[in-house]
Amino acid sequence: MVYRTATGAGLPGQFTIRAPNESEPSAVTTETKLYAITASRLRDGAVIYFAGKQTWSVKFADSAIAPDGDALLAEAAAGPPPLEAVGAYVIEVTQAEGIIRPVGLREEIRAFGPTA
Amino acid sequence: MYRYDEFDRRFLDERVAQYRDQVRRRLAGQLSEEEFRPLRLRNGLYLQLHAYMYRIAIPYGTLSPAQLRMLGHVARKYDRGYGHFTTRQNMQFNWIKLDESPDIMADLASVEMHSIQTSGNCIRNTTSDPFAGVADDEIEDPRPYCEIIRQWSTLHPEFSWLPRKFKIAVSASKKDRAAVHVHDIGLYLVRNAEGEVGFQVLIGGGLGRTPIMAKVLREFLPKKDLLSYLEAALRVYNEYGRRDNIYKARIKILVQSLGIDKMREAVDAEWAKMDHTPLDLDNETVRAIIAHFAPPAYAAVGKDDDAVFQAAVASDRKFARWMKYNVAHHKQPGYAIATVSLKPLGTPPGDITAEQLDLLAELSETYGFGEVRVTHEQNVVFPDVRRSDLPAFYNALAAAGLGTANIGLASDIIACPGLDYCTLANARSIPVAEKLGEHLADREEEVGPMKIKISGCINACGHHHVGHIGILGVDKNGEEFYQITVGGSADEQSAVGGIVGRAVSSDQVNDAVDKLLDVYVRMRCEGEDLPATYRRVGPEPFKEAVYGAH
Ligand code: SF4
């Protein structure tokens, strides 16, 4: 499964996201939809993100992202610990100038907290 | 107030132990989420956007000082220092951890509170008039009947798996302060031609996707028959209510499809078959429950009482305004009903901090008989304040940021948690309420009584359908929009508001509401509230004001 984390550089052998001013095409274009996996943590209901390699993080920035959300979800579901994540689902994310953000207000609020 | 008996205590202790074991097994992986979810929901624990949300029942909205302090303790120890009063007189905590929830349940049990039946397809917390027992237009105190319904419906084996949730409200005044018409069953205490007191029974009210006002099922039901008749109505619903479609499962849809006459026939037929004797409300147990609600020992009016109070009104403009809007007439001379607004400008409606909960507990002991009521409009009522104590009471509230004088005005907005917390939401409610309340504060006295209600989705927890002005959050391609209704009412003249036009963006809400208020102020007759003006002039002037001529 190819993925990179939202903040870090792409892992070796994986795709990189083309920045708007990049001249060389890459495997993934800005038009390519990207996805991450989110869930609630069983113990306390905290919002968590699949961070790859069978780990979950409370930070959106640690999210593993990939163009194939279903495959990413399958990878998240396959690995231990099976108890940590409740109700995992795929969310769309966008990137602009290297910053990845969740798409839609609901996921923004989940990622960054209540607005009021 | 009602005090738990041995049965209540034992059942609650057993439930805490069962729930603790269920949570342990879930955390140990012995129960799947599918298996565990109905168990936690039965105990009032929801999984929301950021954390678990714990909904605690406040039977007919009544709280003792010990219970207020316990809610403060829960806020402080298990949450982020505050809680939220809901439109069903309950309390919700938004930042709860699953592994701590059994401890919360045990702590609550120590003050005779719980969260059982605050979720699930069962009979929920019975709500009532927050002025119960002290309103001067009341036929009889409705609280004993709420308590009787609470005892009957708690763990009722036949009604634990109804087609859908079931909500009952009871009121005894001509002025409906309990939104009785929008409940699955609404009960008004009334007097018949012979002067006997009984219940007018309404059925099939509700908001949500299909807002319907309840219809009269029975004009007069003798008090002793209350439970047997409720049981007959619930049996009919349990048998014929739809279970194949969640959107058509509430009793309002059954009543709508059968028609009220057929519904009445079905209930009466069921009632005729039943042995009423075990449920007759004419026995020692019932009399003992009623005795719990005996009026407190009111003091005689002191000869200087009024002078103290009048001097404060004359010398303190803020107090005078608070008196005007937050204080109501009490049936006992020398006493007043005071409502504490939980709508200070720019704050989430219904939110209260742990410190404020502690303060209310203390004030209820100093300025009352140790009891407060939560209202469905998300405020808190002190039912028995001596008029001579009102200035000191107000000063104590104001010092804690609880002296807002806006009850019944435009900034006294009802709002559900919306998209900031709720998994079902389409749009945010709280920021809209905060901004609108601040925006309208300067003109709210000119506008006069006004009910603005906001829901973050069609489930209508914020009762938007019955707001004089209702605001419903909708999602359009991932963006928040707000559909505005006008002319709704939740009181005895209950009505669903009419949609003004296409939904507006969040930036346009304040302006649209201003325009609706302009029309109302311009066109109202003397003493008319907005729904009355709307009924008289129709929707066009309101539509035109917001969207221009069309
Ligand atoms: S009305 Fe909708 S958004 Fe608001 S609390 Fe109810 S379910 Fe949630």
Side-chain angles (χ1 to χ4, degrees):
Chain A
M1 172 75 224
V2 290
Y3 67 83
R4 49 154 275 178
T5 58
T7 47
L11 296 174
Q14 293 163 356
F15 71 79
T16 52
I17 298 169
R18 185 176 63 176
N21 59 358
E22 235 175 3
S23 54
E24 286 297 310
S26 66
V28 177
T29 71
T30 48
E31 286 75 42
T32 306
K33 286 198 169 176
L34 295 170
Y35 301 95
I37 305 301
T38 185
S40 301
R41 187 161 64 188
L42 173 65
R43 181 174 55 77
D44 58 3
V47 179
I48 51 175
Y49 298 92
F50 180 55
K53 295 190 177 166
Q54 303 184 344
T55 61
W56 292 82
S57 170
V58 288
K59 289 194 211 134
F60 173 76
D62 292 340
S63 297
I65 57 170
D68 185 344
D70 290 340
L72 196 57
L73 183 61
E75 185 188 337
L83 268 176
E84 193 169 1
V86 176
Y89 60 95
V90 179
I91 56 168
E92 192 184 339
V93 301
T94 55
Q95 71 85 26
E97 294 168 3
I99 307 278
I100 309 292
R101 295 189 73 86
V103 171
L105 186 59
R106 183 181 194 274
E107 290 306 328
E108 288 244 349
I109 288 172
R110 284 186 78 246
F112 307 118
T115 61
Chain B
M1 280 180 73
Y2 178 73
R3 302 303 314 265
Y4 274 14
D5 62 14
E6 197 37 50
F7 171 83
D8 292 306
R9 267 188 290 273
R10 197 174 53 242
F11 126 71
L12 208 44
D13 289 346
E14 286 169 5
R15 177 59 76 96
V16 172
Q18 288 160 1
Y19 180 66
R20 196 180 288 286
D21 190 51
Q22 289 157 358
V23 171
R24 182 192 62 72
R25 284 187 287 150
R26 174 69 184 116
L27 290 170
Q30 293 162 4
L31 290 176
S32 69
E33 186 60 18
E34 290 67 40
E35 289 165 326
F36 179 66
R37 189 170 173 273
L39 299 173
R40 70 167 158 74
L41 286 174
R42 288 269 142 184
N43 292 294
L45 195 74
Y46 290 70
L47 184 51
Q48 292 284 43
L49 287 186
H50 312 284
Y52 291 90
M53 180 273 277
Y54 198 46
R55 183 181 293 151
I56 298 162
I58 302 175
Y60 33 98
T62 301
L63 286 167
S64 70
Q67 291 171 331
L68 282 162
R69 289 191 178 99
M70 178 54 72
L71 293 176
H73 162 78
V74 172
R76 211 174 274 120
K77 182 167 179 189
Y78 303 106
D79 202 275
R80 294 191 173 179
Y82 63 95
H84 173 80
F85 285 121
T86 75
T87 54
R88 293 214 74 253
Q89 299 179 306
N90 289 325
M91 171 148 266
Q92 291 181 180
F93 288 105
N94 284 315
W95 299 96
I96 296 301
K97 298 178 173 68
L98 174 62
D99 52 3
E100 293 181 341
S101 58
D103 294 337
I104 304 175
M105 198 189 259
D107 287 354
L108 289 170
S110 71
V111 293
E112 306 185 350
M113 293 185 88
H114 63 68
S115 52
I116 299 160
Q117 290 184 206
T118 60
S119 173
N121 295 337
C122 51
I123 302 172
R124 305 286 187 88
N125 184 32
T126 296
T127 53
S128 190
D129 182 353
F131 291 3
V134 292
D136 56 0
D137 61 343
E138 183 174 274
I139 287 184
E140 196 175 306
D141 189 344
R143 290 173 301 163
Y145 301 98
C146 297
E147 176 55 31
I148 287 163
I149 294 169
R150 185 192 73 79
Q151 296 193 16
W152 162 77
S153 62
T154 301
L155 301 191
H156 194 304
E158 204 176 328
F159 305 137
S160 292
W161 305 97
L162 293 166
R164 203 64 186 94
K165 59 188 167 185
F166 203 91
K167 300 174 182 176
I168 301 173
V170 191
S171 181
S173 294
K174 283 195 201 83
K175 178 98 192 120
D176 182 354
R177 286 171 290 259
V180 169
H181 281 84
V182 297
H183 282 76
D184 296 286
I185 282 188
L187 298 166
Y188 282 116
L189 276 154
V190 292
R191 215 180 281 285
N192 67 6
E194 287 72 45
E196 297 156 337
V197 175
F199 294 97
Q200 184 191 47
V201 183
L202 284 78
I203 197 161
L207 296 173
R209 195 170 293 265
T210 317
I212 298 178
M213 293 300 144
K215 298 182 177 57
V216 176
L217 183 66
R218 196 174 188 89
E219 283 293 354
F220 187 83
L221 179 74
K223 285 194 290 188
K224 77 171 180 45
D225 294 325
L226 175 65
L227 290 188
S228 58
Y229 194 72
L230 286 180
E231 187 132 330
L234 264 295
R235 280 186 181 177
V236 170
Y237 172 51
N238 212 9
E239 184 167 357
Y240 298 109
R242 286 182 62 170
R243 293 172 190 269
D244 60 324
N245 182 341
I246 192 172
Y247 301 120
K248 298 189 185 297
R250 294 289 291 266
I251 197 172
K252 62 188 173 185
I253 304 295
L254 177 66
V255 174
Q256 194 182 44
S257 64
L258 285 180
I260 187 65
D261 294 333
K262 282 230 159 54
M263 185 74 194
R264 189 177 299 115
E265 273 172 36
V267 173
D268 285 349
E270 183 63 39
W271 198 40
K273 279 195 297 198
M274 289 169 53
D275 174 11
H276 299 184
T277 326
L279 291 171
D280 262 1
L281 295 188
D282 190 16
N283 59 44
E284 269 317 305
T285 314
V286 169
R287 278 188 281 278
I289 291 172
I290 291 172
H292 281 288
F293 297 92
Y298 290 116
V301 187
K303 70 176 170 29
D304 296 330
D305 279 9
D306 219 44
V308 173
F309 162 77
Q310 293 300 350
V313 170
S315 64
D316 182 345
R317 265 187 30 247
K318 286 185 175 163
F319 173 66
R321 176 177 159 141
W322 182 81
M323 277 299 305
K324 183 173 175 188
Y325 294 112
N326 294 43
V327 176
H329 194 258
H330 195 291
K331 69 179 183 187
Q332 182 72 19
Y335 282 81
I337 306 167
T339 302
V340 179
S341 170
L342 297 184
K343 321 287 174 63
L345 295 184
T347 62
D351 273 17
I352 186 164
T353 66
E355 291 69 33
Q356 289 171 335
L357 285 159
D358 286 347
L359 176 74
L360 295 190
E362 191 187 317
L363 294 180
S364 76
E365 290 163 331
T366 312
Y367 302 110
F369 298 94
E371 185 186 330
V372 304
R373 322 283 179 63
V374 179
T375 77
H376 82 271
E377 294 182 333
Q378 301 174 296
N379 295 309
V380 176
V381 164
F382 277 63
D384 299 300
V385 186
R386 279 189 78 161
R387 283 175 71 78
S388 55
D389 285 338
L390 284 167
F393 177 63
Y394 167 73
N395 287 335
L397 290 173
L402 290 170
T404 309
N406 63 352
I407 296 301
L409 295 178
S411 65
D412 182 11
I413 296 171
I414 289 186
C416 76
L419 189 55
D420 281 301
Y421 294 96
C422 177
T423 49
L424 303 173
N426 284 327
R428 288 172 292 171
S429 304
I430 295 170
V432 175
E434 289 176 350
K435 282 195 204 114
L436 185 58
E438 283 180 320
H439 178 73
L440 296 176
D442 284 344
R443 66 179 302 199
E444 65 185 353
E445 286 208 89
E446 169 222 351
V447 170
M450 181 57 51
K451 308 274 186 194
I452 299 179
K453 306 183 190 234
I454 307 177
S455 304
C457 80
I458 196 63
N459 288 317
C461 303
H463 295 185
H464 66 276
H465 296 295
V466 288
H468 294 182
I469 294 176
I471 300 173
L472 164 67
V474 293
D475 175 291
K476 284 192 184 174
N477 300 324
E479 251 190 274
E480 295 172 300
F481 278 83
Y482 295 88
Q483 189 180 74
I484 299 181
T485 51
V486 66
S489 172
D491 62 13
E492 56 287 353
Q493 300 266 358
S494 62
V496 173
I499 295 173
V500 178
R502 66 182 182 279
V504 300
S505 71
S506 57
D507 289 347
Q508 296 168 320
V509 168
N510 288 0
D511 186 48
V513 171
D514 260 337
K515 287 174 174 159
L516 294 173
L517 293 179
D518 289 344
V519 173
Y520 164 56
V521 169
R522 198 174 66 241
M523 302 190 82
R524 68 183 165 191
C525 295
E526 179 79 25
E528 247 182 11
D529 64 6
L530 190 153
T533 304
Y534 180 81
R535 281 194 296 275
R536 183 171 53 77
V537 305
E540 283 314 314
F542 294 97
K543 288 182 186 217
E544 199 177 317
V546 178
Y547 298 101
H550 50 274

